[in-house]
Amino acid sequence: MNDSNNLDALLAEERDLQFSSFGADVAWTLGSHIYQRAKAGALPIAIEISRNGQQLFFAALPGPTPDNAEWIRRKRTVVQRFHHSFLYMSVEADVKGRPFLQRYGLSEQDYAAAGGRFPIFVKDTGCVGAVVVSGLPQLEDHRLVTESVRAIIA
């Protein structure tokens, strides 16, 4: 699959994974789902779900370090600014021929060039928040998030 096909697939994934509404109860359900999957697989992750800048869910399983919370903050800023998953932003930067941080002139102290964050879209509203996982390789972080969102909205 070439990069432009990846971009199309990633945009389709974002379009498909939209909630009808999103509040604290849905954040708790989603966060708990991710937590239970991670616990069953002994995955050393930290999870954060936020809406409009307010943290609604945070949990850390055995294994992550305090640095994972910093990774989460830096990952969240990408979703808040661009309203796309980092996987999408990374492929787009590759298509344009410049690394993500360099392309947008972003600071490594404020933005993380790593996967595992996904925008929370509400139908007919747009991006209202982010779900972020930190602790696994970036594609595994992304897959854990998107599979969990898909399970909750099903």
Side-chain angles (χ1 to χ4, degrees):
M1 182 181 284
N2 68 37
D3 285 341
S4 62
N5 287 342
N6 283 338
L7 279 176
D8 292 341
L10 291 167
L11 278 176
E13 180 177 62
E14 290 178 0
R15 248 188 334 271
D16 292 343
L17 298 180
Q18 295 191 23
F19 294 87
S20 56
S21 64
F22 195 87
D25 289 342
V26 178
W28 179 261
T29 301
L30 176 58
S32 297
H33 180 86
I34 296 169
Y35 183 91
Q36 291 304 320
R37 285 191 59 185
K39 185 176 177 183
L43 304 177
I45 64 167
I47 308 156
E48 183 198 73
I49 300 174
S50 62
R51 182 188 64 201
N52 298 327
Q54 178 186 18
Q55 186 181 69
L56 298 177
F57 183 95
F58 182 88
L61 284 86
T65 66
D67 194 46
N68 287 99
E70 179 60 18
W71 271 98
I72 283 174
R73 180 193 66 79
R74 293 171 48 224
K75 288 179 173 191
R76 182 184 350 99
T77 60
V78 174
V79 173
Q80 289 172 329
R81 179 165 175 173
F82 297 102
H83 296 179
H84 286 292
S85 71
F86 179 72
L87 207 51
Y88 174 87
M89 297 304 298
S90 177
V91 171
E92 182 191 49
D94 288 346
V95 167
K96 302 292 183 184
R98 291 180 73 193
F100 170 72
L101 294 174
Q102 181 187 37
R103 178 163 189 249
Y104 292 100
L106 303 174
S107 159
E108 284 187 47
Q109 288 75 33
D110 295 319
Y111 296 88
R117 89 285 316 260
F118 197 80
I120 295 169
F121 288 108
V122 172
K123 292 175 186 169
D124 301 321
T125 301
C127 183
V128 300
V131 55
V132 183
V133 168
S134 178
L136 304 174
Q138 66 178 349
L139 290 177
E140 291 176 41
D141 277 347
H142 180 86
R143 194 171 304 115
L144 177 59
V145 169
T146 56
E147 288 173 359
S148 296
V149 168
R150 190 174 311 281
I152 297 305
I153 63 174

